[in-house]
Amino acid sequence: MELRRLGPVGQEKPAVVSEGVTYRLASLTGDIDGDFLAAGGIDRVRQALAAGELPVWERAEDERIGTPIARPPAVLCIGQNYAAHAAESGAEPPTVPILFHKHPNTVVGPHDDVEIPPGAQKVDWEVELGVVIGAEAAYLPDEQAALEVIAGYVTSHDLSERDFQLAESGGQWSKGKNSRGFNPLGPALVPARGIDPQALRLWSAVNGEGRQDSTTADMIFSVTQIIQHLSQYMVLSPGDLINTGTPQGVALSGRFPYLQAGDVAEVGIDGLGAQRTRFVPARTTPASATPQGETR
């Protein structure tokens, strides 16, 4: 079962894909968001599917695929969470999770175009396992409690501009992470049941050439360790997105050129789906004047 949001930018409608068939969810919810997840929405979808109560979405394949969750309250990111990536970044592996934030408005659809910011020279790709929180969580006592607040998993692309992150900004990571569209997400939110988050292959490619190929087994801090740790310092809310770090193979390593307008990056996680992002020059018109993304 995969939860999706389909339709033009700002007009996405909720859907579920089961056994290759797409169904509309309008009878159950107006959107796939934190309120839906907190109210047991995933279980209600399962029940409606089993009862045959959902209408088929005819020609769903013609619709644009939007972000699988709407308006995440927060986007929390863990840095250098794969030992080999920390090494290629010139850093020692962290002893506690490194936290930085992305603005929720960086989240866009999995196949939407993404702008190269004005003056940017070092835009970098980073495939990551995204974790979506399904229940409020604070001061969780152990990793089992952390596991219980996970709604599901999603393919996430934590794009970065390395000069903004490490040089021009004086080392403030978030300045290199928050440009328009710097977090393509999806194509689907896959419910947590039956998924081992530490046994997922993730990969990336640029213009058809492989870049990253690793598994979440190589994480320094596991998904549940990250969630329990964060809950000691903040309240996690339903709909929050946690990006759990990227493996080695990014441009920062010096082995590959950075992204430019015209490049196409693909990222994917086995069982969660793949993305295709085309990079374009930054717009000079207001965001409201030119809708972002491609219709697919």
Side-chain angles (χ1 to χ4, degrees):
M1 184 174 92
E2 299 180 353
L3 298 174
R4 300 194 179 204
R5 298 172 65 249
L6 305 178
V9 176
Q11 302 176 46
E12 297 92 343
K13 302 298 181 185
V16 62
V17 180
S18 178
E19 298 182 353
V21 179
T22 303
Y23 300 89
R24 294 181 181 270
L25 289 180
S27 60
L28 295 183
T29 183
D31 216 335
I32 299 170
D33 55 15
D35 289 342
F36 165 79
L37 297 173
I42 291 176
D43 285 339
R44 289 191 286 118
V45 171
R46 284 197 181 98
Q47 293 165 6
L49 278 172
E53 297 172 348
L54 299 175
V56 172
W57 190 320
E58 302 291 349
R59 300 190 63 82
E61 65 276 9
D62 294 338
E63 299 284 350
R64 169 186 169 272
I65 301 175
T67 64
I69 54 171
R71 303 176 298 279
V75 180
L76 309 170
C77 306
I78 304 301
Q80 298 179 350
N81 195 31
Y82 290 72
H85 174 56
E88 73 178 359
S89 303
E92 292 294 323
T95 57
V96 295
I98 297 172
L99 173 67
F100 62 93
H101 293 70
K102 299 190 86 147
H103 195 296
N105 68 14
T106 60
V107 176
V108 295
H111 307 308
D112 290 347
D113 291 348
V114 170
E115 297 177 6
I116 300 292
Q121 299 295 320
K122 295 183 178 180
V123 176
D124 207 348
W125 57 88
E126 295 186 72
V127 61
E128 306 203 7
L129 173 63
V131 182
V132 178
I133 299 298
E136 185 175 289
Y139 311 117
L140 297 174
D142 52 38
E143 290 184 50
Q144 180 58 40
L147 188 64
E148 292 170 0
V149 303
I150 299 172
Y153 303 100
V154 64
T155 300
S156 188
H157 195 174
D158 173 24
L159 288 161
S160 308
E161 210 295 338
R162 300 302 190 184
D163 269 348
F164 297 174
Q165 176 186 353
L166 301 172
E168 292 181 4
S169 68
Q172 298 181 31
W173 281 25
S174 289
K175 290 183 180 179
K177 300 285 188 172
N178 281 284
S179 296
R180 192 198 310 276
F182 262 33
N183 202 150
L185 196 68
L189 170 63
V190 179
R193 182 189 296 178
I195 293 181
D196 180 353
Q198 304 311 140
L200 298 172
R201 174 178 173 260
L202 64 174
W203 56 270
S204 66
V206 176
N207 299 327
E209 297 182 355
R211 293 293 185 259
Q212 298 169 280
D213 194 342
S214 186
T215 78
T216 54
D218 290 331
M219 283 183 180
I220 298 171
F221 305 104
S222 70
V223 166
T224 52
Q225 287 173 329
I226 291 168
I227 292 173
Q228 185 194 9
H229 177 82
L230 294 180
S231 78
Q232 309 308 308
Y233 301 94
M234 65 190 71
V235 177
L236 301 176
S237 298
D240 281 354
L241 170 66
I242 301 175
N243 290 329
T244 57
T246 198
Q248 75 277 13
V250 297
L252 182 63
S253 68
R255 292 187 288 146
F256 308 110
Y258 287 98
L259 294 165
Q260 303 178 56
D263 286 343
V264 173
E266 297 170 278
V267 304
I269 301 178
D270 289 357
L272 303 184
Q275 307 177 3
R276 182 182 185 276
T277 299
R278 182 169 61 100
F279 292 87
V280 299
R283 297 194 302 266
T284 57
T285 52
S288 59
T290 308
Q292 182 177 3
E294 302 172 342
T295 300
R296 290 183 177 271

